[in-house]
Amino acid sequence: MKGLLGRKLGMTQVFTTDGELIPVTVIEATPNVVLQKKTVETDGYEAVQLGFEDVKERRATKANIGHCKKADTAPKRFVREVRDCELDVNVGDTVGVDMFEAGEQVDVIGTSKGKGYQGTIVRNNAHQGPKTHGGSKNIRHIGSLATNGITSRQGRIMKGTMMAGQEGGYRTTNPNLTVIKVDKENNYILIKGCVPGPKKGLVMIRTAKTSKGNKAPVTLIDYTVNEEVSE
């Protein structure tokens, strides 16, 4: 399994030479530093710990500063582990976007947008109550909770009942997304579709766990204009 940390910049669209429009998310992934290698003998499992984006020492904890000094690098803002990593790297090495290729299937992990406290209609797509005849005041309120359709035997709220509550702000994974383009010079990846989180949110790209195979890469239209220098 491969993994890389990056920052979501936003969404745009690209066109193939066949005229197909593809919505893509732009992820900036400057070279990640290998901060630690975990093994079965020392930690009980195998993993590679990556660090992304330098942070000033006065904004970092002493633990973060000391841990990153072992890799001879500055403290990092975003640190994550890649389990069962297939990359042959050592502490202090850097990895970049060139580990992925166009057409490869990946999973993108991030923190979803926080939307605050939401009612059951917004949060769970519940039905509204009746609005006619003026008798019902239960238009957007939650329905019956404790009966669960078994009035004589229930009398308690079941686990997993759809209710109002905090919406968003949790770790989520968008699986089986396709890499459209990898730009090693500018350190960014174009991934088809949307990924979790807001703009400038931190994400992790890893090899897809449930993919049925990679797809054929597409050829994008190149809008670069080569200016001819007249002698």
Side-chain angles (χ1 to χ4, degrees):
M1 177 172 291
K2 300 178 294 185
L4 190 68
L5 308 181
R7 184 180 291 278
K8 173 182 175 180
L9 298 183
M11 293 195 67
T12 184
Q13 58 189 20
V14 293
F15 291 88
T16 66
T17 54
D18 298 332
E20 179 185 1
L21 184 151
I22 303 178
V24 294
T25 300
V26 183
I27 297 179
E28 181 187 23
T30 54
N32 293 186
V33 181
V34 179
L35 300 180
Q36 185 180 3
K37 287 189 69 175
K38 296 191 174 182
T39 61
V40 177
E41 293 77 12
T42 58
D43 302 280
Y45 65 96
E46 293 186 355
V48 172
Q49 188 183 85
L50 301 176
F52 170 74
E53 198 170 282
D54 294 345
V55 64
K56 296 179 181 179
E57 288 195 3
R58 62 187 179 88
R59 294 183 180 273
T61 62
K62 290 184 179 180
N64 188 8
I65 295 172
H67 183 64
C68 293
K69 278 186 178 180
K70 297 178 182 178
D72 194 21
T73 184
K76 301 300 179 183
R77 186 183 305 276
F78 190 42
V79 178
R80 289 293 183 272
E81 292 182 358
V82 181
R83 291 284 190 106
D84 302 323
C85 186
E86 62 188 41
L87 300 175
D88 185 14
V89 293
N90 297 314
V91 175
D93 293 346
T94 59
V95 294
V97 296
D98 54 343
M99 72 169 65
F100 295 106
E101 298 178 353
E104 192 170 351
Q105 299 292 102
V106 296
D107 296 341
V108 181
I109 306 171
T111 302
S112 62
K113 292 182 180 180
K115 300 180 181 179
Y117 190 91
Q118 299 292 332
T120 183
I121 293 176
V122 174
R123 189 175 186 225
N124 304 303
N125 197 28
H127 288 286
Q128 295 187 15
K131 299 180 181 179
T132 56
H133 301 295
S136 174
K137 297 181 180 179
N138 186 21
I139 298 176
R140 297 185 63 89
H141 196 275
I142 196 168
S144 179
L145 294 174
T147 59
N148 198 26
I150 317 175
T151 308
S152 60
R153 293 183 285 114
Q154 198 57 59
R156 67 185 179 92
I157 299 177
M158 301 293 291
K159 290 184 178 180
T161 301
M162 295 190 303
M163 302 178 69
Q166 194 74 18
E167 174 70 3
Y170 51 83
R171 173 190 165 109
T172 182
T173 303
N174 283 18
N176 302 330
L177 302 179
T178 305
V179 176
I180 299 299
K181 180 181 178 181
V182 177
D183 192 325
K184 183 179 179 180
E185 295 181 358
N186 298 311
N187 296 318
Y188 71 82
I189 300 179
L190 299 183
I191 296 180
K192 183 178 181 180
C194 60
V195 304
K199 292 181 181 179
K200 298 185 179 180
L202 298 171
V203 297
M204 175 180 176
I205 310 170
R206 72 179 182 196
T207 306
K209 287 187 175 182
T210 60
S211 172
K212 296 182 180 179
N214 297 332
K215 297 184 179 180
V218 296
T219 304
L220 302 179
I221 296 177
D222 187 6
Y223 293 99
T224 304
V225 178
N226 295 324
E227 297 182 356
E228 298 181 359
V229 179
S230 59
E231 296 180 357

